[in-house]
Amino acid sequence: MADKTLGLIHTSATLVPVFAELCSKYLPHVKTFNIVDDSLIKNTIACGELTADTSRRVVNYAGSAQDAGADFILFTCSSIGPAVEVAAGLSHVPVLRVDQPMADKAVQLGKRIGVVATLSTTLNPTSDLVKRRAVVAGKEIELVSKLCEGAFEALMSGDAATHDQKVGDALRQLSNEVDVIVLAQASMARVVDTMTEAERKVPILASPPLAMEYLATIL
């Protein structure tokens, strides 16, 4: 059987090396290529929501990846998730939003699910996805959403320490209230690595490795 090709579509160039490392670990026999357009996320943040124009471009990128020979397409940004689901319905090859395997795992692991984000544009689609995946799984859940105000702005202005502190505080607080925590943005995962075992009272899920584990079972 010929090697499969995975097309990765990113909204930030910083995600390219992150996923390249994960691909070499989980999908060593799969060929990959990257499409990067950070205007997708910039426009979404500027408008405060995912617009129809941005959604249309997301669908077009899925088409481009398909034309480029992708057997499977992964969108690595949660903020454009709803548009990714539209693209999946219009594509001849499977299209996955990066946070779906994470949402499925969270639903498996607990009833009270915490969602942490540094952007409201990501918090809402991720929370919505978790709710819908719970319906698919036939489970009743309670969702506790937490927005880390100012953390994203700090990170963008180069103040990673403030970002990490705000995210860490939110995670520590939430871990007392829920069974499992979902990180709405992969950029927050590094904060988890700095937490002690005692502070991590519940499982904290990040989407990239879980998406890769899922893809490894298919590809």
Side-chain angles (χ1 to χ4, degrees), residues 9 12 16 23 27 32 39-40 51 76 82 93 101 116 124 136 142-143 146 151 178 202-203 206 214 216-217:
I9 303 176
S12 168
V16 174
C23 285
L27 307 169
T32 60
S39 74
L40 293 170
T51 63
T76 62
V93 300
V116 182
N124 300 333
V136 171
E142 291 173 47
L143 206 65
K146 195 157 188 58
V178 297
V202 299
Y214 172 74
T217 63

Side-chain angles (χ1 to χ4, degrees), residues 138-215:
K139 279 189 73 173
E140 292 225 352
I141 60 159
E142 291 173 47
L143 206 65
V144 184
S145 301
K146 195 157 188 58
L147 182 66
C148 306
E149 298 276 358
F152 182 78
E153 291 73 17
L155 189 63
M156 290 298 102
S157 67
D159 184 1
T162 298
H163 166 274
D164 293 1
Q165 186 199 334
K166 284 177 182 287
V167 172
D169 289 346
L171 292 174
R172 281 186 285 273
Q173 187 188 333
L174 253 189
S175 66
N176 295 313
E177 302 170 22
V178 297
D179 304 321
V180 56
I181 296 173
V182 165
L183 300 179
Q185 284 133 295
S187 55
M188 302 156 75
R190 62 203 188 111
V191 181
V192 180
D193 298 334
T194 65
M195 293 169 68
T196 63
E197 284 289 321
E199 288 175 324
R200 279 187 283 192
K201 296 180 181 130
V202 299
I204 301 175
L205 309 182
S207 55
L210 290 171
M212 286 298 161
E213 280 173 23
Y214 172 74
L215 288 176

Side-chain angles (χ1 to χ4, degrees), residues 79-154:
S79 287
I80 57 170
V84 175
E85 291 183 35
V86 174
L90 299 170
S91 178
H92 299 306
V93 300
V95 177
L96 181 70
R97 53 183 285 182
V98 72
D99 46 359
Q100 187 180 308
M102 171 178 71
D104 288 339
K105 179 145 191 179
V107 169
Q108 276 170 8
L109 287 176
K111 181 175 163 57
R112 284 181 64 77
I113 300 173
V115 179
V116 182
T118 59
L119 277 172
S120 59
T121 47
T122 319
L123 187 63
N124 300 333
T126 304
S127 301
D128 173 61
L129 177 68
V130 173
K131 285 179 198 157
R132 286 187 292 113
R133 297 310 290 179
V135 171
V136 171
K139 279 189 73 173
E140 292 225 352
I141 60 159
E142 291 173 47
L143 206 65
V144 184
S145 301
K146 195 157 188 58
L147 182 66
C148 306
E149 298 276 358
F152 182 78
E153 291 73 17

Side-chain angles (χ1 to χ4, degrees), residues 13-30:
T14 58
L15 292 171
V16 174
V18 173
F19 279 88
E21 192 178 320
L22 288 166
C23 285
S24 64
K25 180 180 172 185
Y26 289 99
L27 307 169
H29 306 300
V30 176

